[in-house]
Amino acid sequence: MNSMRVAQAAAKGGKLEVVEREVPQPGPGHVRITVEACGVCRSDAGFIDAVFPGVRFPLVPGHEIAGRIDALGDGVAQWQVGDRVGVGWFGGSCGHCLPCRQGDFIACVNLKVPGWAYPGGYAEAMVAPVDALARIPDGLTPVEAAPLGCAGVTTFNALRRSGARGGDLVAVLGVGGLGHLGIQFAARLGFETVAVARGTAKEELARELGAHHYVDSQATDVAEALRGLGGARVVLATAADSAAMAATVDGLSHRGQLLVIGATPEPLEIFPLQLITGGRGVRGHASGTAQDVEDTMHFAALTGARPMVETMALDDAEAAYQRMLSGQARFRMVLTTGD
């Protein structure tokens, strides 16, 4: 094909419109991917609304991509046409900044996020560097694999690097786009899993996902409830609510940590003595490399963890985006390009 459809925002804050573009050709060290599915992530709003620096319009968002390689650039030897691949928030690194030189590629100062550094996956095809590619296992469909490139790897990687061990009490704050995956991963990693959410509407679902305990933050003091269970080794804060995050700190065990992955502009109100007492800590976590995405997909295929998704066609990208923004999606919106 000589042309392809993409969903683009023409200007800051603009609606997503489907237009025709010339099919891109992969340069050296890059591949072209036929996109089969692409997740609609809350972070996409940061690009469409030009919250992130250096955003250029027209902009094609999308950093939860699943598809197949259909063309190879010069110098690509380890991948072949037809390989099933995903590209997530980690869309490549510069290789020369200090974090990269130390091997900490997700902390790259010049991180190449699809939809920001180059056109993303709200398209029938896109080009990505080879260091961004994660191999999709046979056990996952493109729709299942796509959200694991951002929401999935963020929750899984945060938990497996948290220092918690099998049997430790781990709480997941929020049962939404991130939290519903965090609960599944926490339970399957062998943690005694606590789901924390407002009201009782999500209790049944949380328990079906693997939670051993449920705390209604509207009816119960969350910190007190966690202390009653012995104290949380880790609170995985997926809800973008600074007050709700801060309310869990006194429920941490000694040396416990609040692990923040829910992005919010509001400050955390935590007093120094809350951290000093018991040696507690607060740490942020951002996504993971292409290998981390591959590990996440393999773990999901192996254990049965799956994102809960709603699908819409690429032509309906604006409707899918607005449904994501409204908070009504259960729990990840995914665009598809097939029939």
Side-chain angles (χ1 to χ4, degrees), residues 62-283:
H63 58 267
E64 293 184 340
I65 301 149
R68 293 180 182 272
I69 294 175
D70 68 19
L72 306 176
D74 291 342
V76 176
Q78 66 272 47
W79 299 92
Q80 297 181 3
V81 170
D83 284 348
R84 302 178 69 224
V85 295
V87 180
W89 178 263
F90 179 85
S93 57
C94 71
H96 57 74
C97 68
L98 180 59
C100 283
R101 286 169 60 84
Q102 293 176 337
D104 193 2
F105 299 107
I106 191 59
C108 174
V109 174
N110 306 296
L111 189 67
K112 303 171 186 176
V113 181
W116 184 8
Y118 52 84
Y122 290 16
E124 291 181 317
M126 53 91 67
V127 168
V130 291
D131 62 330
L133 303 180
R135 198 174 300 276
I136 300 175
D138 292 339
L140 295 179
T141 68
V143 168
E144 292 170 336
L148 299 181
C150 182
V153 68
T154 301
T155 50
F156 176 70
N157 216 27
L159 287 168
R160 71 169 177 168
R161 297 181 185 276
S162 69
R165 298 179 179 180
D168 283 348
L169 190 77
V170 170
V172 179
L173 176 63
V175 185
L178 292 169
H180 87 285
L181 286 165
I183 292 168
Q184 293 181 70
F185 288 138
R188 286 162 173 79
L189 285 166
F191 304 140
E192 184 178 354
T193 304
V194 186
V196 181
R198 295 175 179 172
T200 59
K202 293 181 178 179
E203 179 173 3
E204 182 178 355
L205 172 62
R207 293 187 183 278
E208 290 175 358
L209 293 173
H212 303 95
H213 311 280
Y214 184 86
V215 176
D216 173 5
S217 63
Q218 290 182 324
T220 307
D221 182 284
V222 175
E224 184 178 336
L226 293 177
R227 288 197 304 270
L229 293 169
R233 175 68 174 172
V234 170
V235 171
L236 182 68
T238 73
D241 185 327
S242 295
M245 294 181 194
T248 69
V249 171
D250 286 336
L252 293 170
S253 66
H254 64 285
R255 307 299 177 192
Q257 66 174 316
L258 173 62
L259 194 51
V260 178
I261 62 174
T264 171
E266 300 300 323
L268 284 170
E269 187 173 317
I270 298 172
F271 298 97
L273 277 176
Q274 290 179 280
L275 303 180
I276 294 170
T277 303
R280 298 170 176 141
V282 180
R283 185 164 66 88

